């Protein structure tokens, strides 16, 4: 039975995506799927969308259902054998319970007449993206996203191989289509490095073991030199901006112009300054023709404590709409408030720029059931790291992210 919410909150982007979703589905002839190899990217073609209403609607507003009518629609595009998998997220191989149930839920966007979100057609997408490159920059949740993307696309090119150039942490090259997707790890986006406590000019250093110097105005080396390489760039940061990552014994200390900022900034104030600086750098250094997208926070679902305080996520179905605020509203001061706190600052930082917002937070807030939890693939992983209630099982929720992102990319490249 579908669970229909009476309303949906956050402000979400790209209401025009519905106009172009069928571009994922209508490259059916062999001449389109396998055009002659060329370094010149083909023009994208616009098609009317026969799945969804043309009225203004948003793919990230809607509700989840496991209606049996959509069983085929929810079938994953890949399995445990995908060569791009990261072990801890390969929940099929790790024998995570309820994987069939996790992948039985289907996202029904508003404005689609009660029909599911159209799935990516990997071959059609690769054909449309021939000769192009997509880069992801950020923390491990963008890596989680990339792995889902690579595995989905790999189902359409058996010759796909791993790619780690230009400083990429991981990636894939699809030779049949001369197409590349890669991830550059830069958890704070800004440059940061460990410093001994003696380098910090403070009258009282009691309890300090050292600190991390964050140059708010300098991008991390991992992505500073790729601004001319990609046709699409997808950014994120957020999960490392907390005291669980940088406690008071080893804090972040913010610098600008090579000098410490005085008075010292609290961690979220530092985030705001980094966002301002990185957005300015992106606008200045990345060509205007490059599609620039900022993904909002992926919500966590720790119940009963933080990741290092026995927090757990052994849920068997998504949360209900009326439960979301109690989990995520910062006013409730819960352990999962991070996503909405960070999103507010992201939206403010990119306002008025040509960086598009990809808000995947709301549809993901429901999915407390879809994390790796205790099934991490290593015997002692939970004892060392606790349950993983932050990343997502693959196949799983990030495949829905892929469906939405691919539509947004195609529309954006077509629109120029």
């Amino acid at each position: 039975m579908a669970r229909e919410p009476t309303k949906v909150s956050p402000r979400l982007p790209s209401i025009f995506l519905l106009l172009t979703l069928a571009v994922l589905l209508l490259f059916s002839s062999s001449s389109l799927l396998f055009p002659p190899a060329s370094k010149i990217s083909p023009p994208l073609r616009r098609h009317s969308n026969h799945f969804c209403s043309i009225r203004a609607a948003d793919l990230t507003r809607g509700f989840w259902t496991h209606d049996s009518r959509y069983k085929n629609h929810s079938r994953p595009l890949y399995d445990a054998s995908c060569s791009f998998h990261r072990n801890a997220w390969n929940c099929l191989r790790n024998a995570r319970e309820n994987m069939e149930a996790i992948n039985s839920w289907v996202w029904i966007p508003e404005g689609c007449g009660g029909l599911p979100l159209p799935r990516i057609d990997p071959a059609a997408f690769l054909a449309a993206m021939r000769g192009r490159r997509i880069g992801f920059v950020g923390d491990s949740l963008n890596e989680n996203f990339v792995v889902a993307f690579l595995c989905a696309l790999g189902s359409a090119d058996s010759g796909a191989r791993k790619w780690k150039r230009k400083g990429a942490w991981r990636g894939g090259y699809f030779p049949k289509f001369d197409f590349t997707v890669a991830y550059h790890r830069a958890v704070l986006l800004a440059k940061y490095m460990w410093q001994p406590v003696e380098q910090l000019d403070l009258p009282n250093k009691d309890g300090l073991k050292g600190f991390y110097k964050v140059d708010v105005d300098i991008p991390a080396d991992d992505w500073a030199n790729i601004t001319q390489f990609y046709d699409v760039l997808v950014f994120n940061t957020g999960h490392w901006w907390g005291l669980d990552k940088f406690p008071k014994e080893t804090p972040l200390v913010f610098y600008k112009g090579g000098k410490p900022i005085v008075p010292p900034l609290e961690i979220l104030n530092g985030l705001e300054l980094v966002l301002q600086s990185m957005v300015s750098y992106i606008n200045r250094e990345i060509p205007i023709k490059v599609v620039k997208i900022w993904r909002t926070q992926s919500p966590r679902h720790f119940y009963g404590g933080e990741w290092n305080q026995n927090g757990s996520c052994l849920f068997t179905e998504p949360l209900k709409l009326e439960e979301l605020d109690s989990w995520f509203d910062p006013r409730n001061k819960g352990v999962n408030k991070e996503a909405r706190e960070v999103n507010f600052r992201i939206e403010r930082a990119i306002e008025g720029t040509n960086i598009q917002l990809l808000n995947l937070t709301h549809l993901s807030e429901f999915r407390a059931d879809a994390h790796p939890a205790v099934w991490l693939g290593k015997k002692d992983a939970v004892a060392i790291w606790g349950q993983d209630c932050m990343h997502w099982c693959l196949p799983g929720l990030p495949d829905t992210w892929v469906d939405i992102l691919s539509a947004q990319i195609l529309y954006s490249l077509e629109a120029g």
Side-chain angles (χ1 to χ4, degrees):
M1 295 291 290
R3 177 184 295 154
E4 294 195 44
T6 56
K7 63 178 181 179
V8 177
S9 43
R11 186 163 55 95
L12 301 165
S14 306
I15 62 174
F16 44 75
L17 291 181
L18 299 174
L19 299 174
T20 59
L21 284 170
V23 76
L24 299 174
L25 304 165
L26 297 178
F27 285 86
S28 56
S29 70
S30 60
S31 62
L32 284 171
L33 288 175
F34 308 107
S38 172
K39 292 295 180 182
I40 301 175
S41 300
L44 296 167
R45 295 171 55 188
R46 180 175 297 179
H47 300 278
S48 62
N49 186 348
H50 61 278
F51 280 93
C52 296
S53 167
I54 299 302
R55 74 176 179 84
D58 197 307
L59 298 181
T60 56
R61 297 177 183 268
F63 63 94
W64 291 96
T65 180
H66 57 46
D67 193 312
S68 60
R69 291 176 298 171
Y70 305 132
K71 184 176 181 180
N72 290 336
H73 187 91
S74 64
R75 183 174 292 117
L77 295 173
Y78 57 93
D79 57 24
S81 66
C82 170
S83 61
F84 297 109
H85 261 305
R86 179 169 166 176
N87 292 341
W89 308 331
N90 190 346
C91 291
L92 290 174
R93 195 199 68 171
N94 296 339
R96 195 227 193 271
E97 295 177 2
N98 298 317
M99 279 299 289
E100 184 175 354
I102 287 171
N103 285 291
S104 70
W105 291 90
V106 174
W107 182 246
I108 310 293
E110 288 185 357
C112 285
L115 294 176
L117 173 73
R119 302 293 306 277
I120 184 175
D121 179 329
F125 183 82
L126 287 168
M129 297 297 294
R130 179 177 293 276
R132 293 184 168 95
R133 302 164 180 151
I134 299 175
F136 289 70
V137 180
D139 59 33
S140 59
L141 270 297
N142 252 8
E143 183 182 6
N144 207 179
F145 199 171
V146 166
V147 173
F149 206 5
L150 290 170
C151 285
L153 295 177
S155 65
D157 187 347
S158 59
R161 59 179 182 264
K162 294 180 180 179
W163 186 95
K164 291 179 69 174
R165 300 178 186 175
K166 295 286 184 179
W169 188 269
R170 69 165 65 233
Y173 177 67
F174 300 80
K176 189 185 294 184
F177 302 92
D178 186 25
F179 173 69
T180 303
V181 176
Y183 162 69
H184 296 259
R185 181 177 171 85
V187 298
L188 302 183
L189 294 183
K191 182 178 181 179
Y192 80 105
M193 64 177 61
W194 172 255
Q195 298 287 313
V197 68
E198 291 76 21
Q199 296 293 321
L200 194 59
D201 184 17
L202 284 177
N204 184 1
K205 301 176 184 178
D206 291 346
L208 280 179
K209 299 177 181 178
F211 68 100
Y212 290 92
K213 176 188 176 185
V214 182
D215 289 294
V216 300
D217 49 352
I218 302 176
D221 294 340
D222 308 81
W223 71 279
N225 298 318
I226 63 168
T227 56
Q228 309 292 316
F229 184 73
Y230 291 101
D231 300 283
V232 180
L233 280 166
V234 183
F235 295 92
N236 98 292
T237 188
H239 287 292
W240 282 65
W241 293 89
L243 295 178
D244 59 312
K245 296 291 188 182
F246 298 103
K248 61 183 181 180
E249 296 85 5
T250 54
L252 297 178
V253 178
F254 299 96
Y255 283 65
K256 187 174 183 179
K259 297 180 179 180
I261 295 173
V262 180
L265 298 177
E266 296 291 335
I267 194 165
L268 289 180
N269 298 123
L271 168 61
E272 291 179 359
L273 201 53
V274 165
L275 289 174
Q276 293 171 17
S277 297
M278 296 303 104
V279 167
S280 177
Y281 182 85
I282 290 167
N283 285 334
R284 184 175 68 251
E285 299 294 334
I286 298 178
I288 193 169
K289 66 179 181 179
V290 174
V291 176
K292 296 171 278 289
I293 297 172
W294 203 295
R295 178 185 62 75
T296 60
Q297 278 298 90
S298 170
R300 314 178 318 157
H301 290 93
F302 288 100
Y303 180 78
E306 267 286 2
W307 64 272
N308 55 354
Q309 298 171 341
N310 297 318
S312 68
C313 51
L314 299 175
F315 298 93
T316 57
E317 62 179 25
L319 301 176
K320 296 178 173 62
L321 179 68
E322 56 269 22
E323 295 177 292
L324 299 186
D325 282 349
S326 65
W327 274 76
F328 303 109
D329 192 323
R331 292 172 295 186
N332 294 322
K333 302 185 184 302
V335 298
N336 303 292
K337 64 182 185 297
E338 161 201 287
R340 295 189 187 182
E341 285 184 332
V342 171
N343 283 354
F344 170 75
R345 290 165 171 84
I346 290 170
E347 291 187 21
R348 189 165 58 183
I350 70 171
E351 187 175 4
T353 73
N354 67 348
I355 302 173
Q356 302 176 28
L357 191 70
L358 177 62
N359 195 328
L360 300 175
T361 304
H362 178 64
L363 69 87
S364 305
E365 285 181 342
F366 293 92
R367 298 307 306 272
D369 60 313
H371 298 282
V374 299
W375 293 274
L376 301 177
K378 291 185 178 179
K379 183 178 179 181
D380 299 323
V382 175
I384 297 171
W385 299 107
Q387 292 189 30
D388 188 349
C389 304
M390 180 169 69
H391 302 98
W392 303 94
C393 279
L394 298 177
L397 173 68
D399 300 318
T400 299
W401 297 357
V402 168
D403 296 336
I404 295 172
L405 175 65
S406 58
Q408 182 162 341
I409 288 172
L410 290 178
Y411 182 90
S412 299
L413 288 172
E414 179 184 319

